[in-house]
Amino acid sequence: MNDTTRNLAEPCVVALPHNRPIFLVGMMGAGKTTIGRSLAKILGREFVDLDQAIEARCGVPVSHIFEVEGEEGFRKRETLLLDEYSQQPGIVLATGGGAVLAAQNRRLLAERGVVVYLRASDEELYRRVAKDRNRPLLQTANPRARVTELLTQRAPLYEEVAHVAFDTGSMPIAQAADALVQLLKSTPVPS
């Protein structure tokens, strides 16, 4: 294979005008992990899912941490790792849906990177997570109502911390990631 062929086969990496971390916030099911992976690939950046990083560090699933330590114990672990990862330039970090609940986390996100709020309606969110049994906060008698309750509680916090909001809707992942890259290119970098 010659150099020309190799270059055509390699994915095209798009550069942003900054190397600040990109933090994805939003509800469970909003697409933080799925869109985040695609976004990181387009940008040639490392992708980190904060919940997966917590699981790797603890050696057990998030649902087990909730069972043993409760939500409070999980949130403490989340803040510790968020502090660590939010200091790394050039990453795309998908936070957990509840990471914005702590004022300290919102401050870390807003000060250290570009925060993108991935939005979706409560109907769309429920459709995406309805069959997922690994969502501790949805293990209730009425998970549909729980999604609406959580969104009502958290949406103002996502909006408060976000530098930009992006509606995930029903567009394909690749198209959503491409559209998000264009939005990020035109988003002023927070100082």
Side-chain angles (χ1 to χ4, degrees), residues 77-99:
R77 292 177 182 278
E78 181 178 58
T79 296
L80 288 171
L81 276 185
L82 178 61
D83 181 39
E84 179 182 323
Y85 281 107
S86 65
Q87 295 181 60
Q88 294 183 17
I91 67 166
V92 174
L93 178 71
T95 65

Side-chain angles (χ1 to χ4, degrees), residues 19 34-35 46 52 63 71-72 96 100 117 126 141-142 148 173 183 186 189:
N19 197 31
T34 308
I35 292 172
E46 176 186 0
Q52 291 174 3
S63 57
E71 185 174 358
E72 183 179 339
V100 297
Y117 171 22
Y126 179 69
N142 189 343
T148 301
I173 300 305
L183 184 60
S186 64
V189 179

Side-chain angles (χ1 to χ4, degrees), residues 101-122:
L101 295 173
Q104 178 182 358
N105 292 353
R106 293 193 305 277
R107 183 184 54 77
L108 292 173
L109 292 166
E111 291 176 359
R112 293 182 177 173
V114 177
V115 183
V116 178
Y117 171 22
L118 296 182
R119 284 190 300 221
S121 69
D122 56 345

Side-chain angles (χ1 to χ4, degrees), residues 117-136:
Y117 171 22
L118 296 182
R119 284 190 300 221
S121 69
D122 56 345
E123 295 87 12
E124 181 67 20
L125 293 168
Y126 179 69
R127 186 188 66 73
R128 294 176 187 175
V129 299
K131 295 178 182 164
D132 188 344
R133 300 292 167 234
N134 294 316
R135 306 281 185 174

